[in-house]
Structures are given as C-alpha cells and as structure tokens.
C-alpha cells in the first residue's frame, strides 16, 4: 500500500468511524466493562486516536522527515 494512502487512512479512520458508525453504536445494550455500547465506543476511540497518530508519526520517522 502506498505510504500516502496509509497516512491518509490513519488520519481519517478515527473521524470516519466515530461519526460514521455512531448511529449504529447508539444503543444501551450490550454493556461492555460496565459502560453502555455508545460510551464504550467513544471511550475506545479516545485510546485508538493517538495510536493512529503514532502510526503516522512512525511512518514519517522511517522516511527521515523527523530528526531524532
């Protein structure tokens, strides 16, 4: 996969999945870790968004765009 496409996907993925699947996830049951599905979904993306950003950083670092 082209690195530019991968970077674009890693940037757009959190936004698209948080908002795009929100109507599907907007329900109370099932309860996951004591949270309704919607709250768990949003909380999970609080964790996953920095992971996606870190992936973009690592791709740029491999290309030598950032000095270490």
């Amino acid at each position: 996969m082209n690195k530019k496409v991968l970077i674009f996907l890693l940037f757009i993925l959190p936004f698209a999945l948080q908002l795009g699947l929100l109507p599907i996830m907007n329900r109370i049951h099932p309860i996951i870790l004591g949270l309704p599905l919607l709250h768990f979904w949003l909380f999970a993306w609080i964790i996953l968004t920095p992971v996606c950003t870190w992936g973009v950083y690592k791709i740029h670092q491999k290309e030598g765009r950032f000095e270490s």
Side-chain angles (χ1 to χ4, degrees), residues 21-67:
L21 293 180
L22 194 60
I24 297 170
M25 297 297 170
N26 190 12
R27 53 189 79 220
I28 295 173
H29 295 287
I31 302 292
I32 302 171
L33 299 175
L35 296 171
L37 181 61
L38 176 64
H39 292 162
F40 178 78
W41 177 254
L42 295 174
F43 180 72
W45 279 105
I46 290 173
I47 307 276
L48 293 173
T49 300
V51 171
C52 291
T53 307
W54 178 79
V56 171
Y57 171 75
K58 288 309 233 181
I59 291 170
H60 279 292
Q61 193 177 33
K62 277 186 180 179
E63 292 178 356
R65 293 186 184 184
F66 299 124
E67 294 179 12

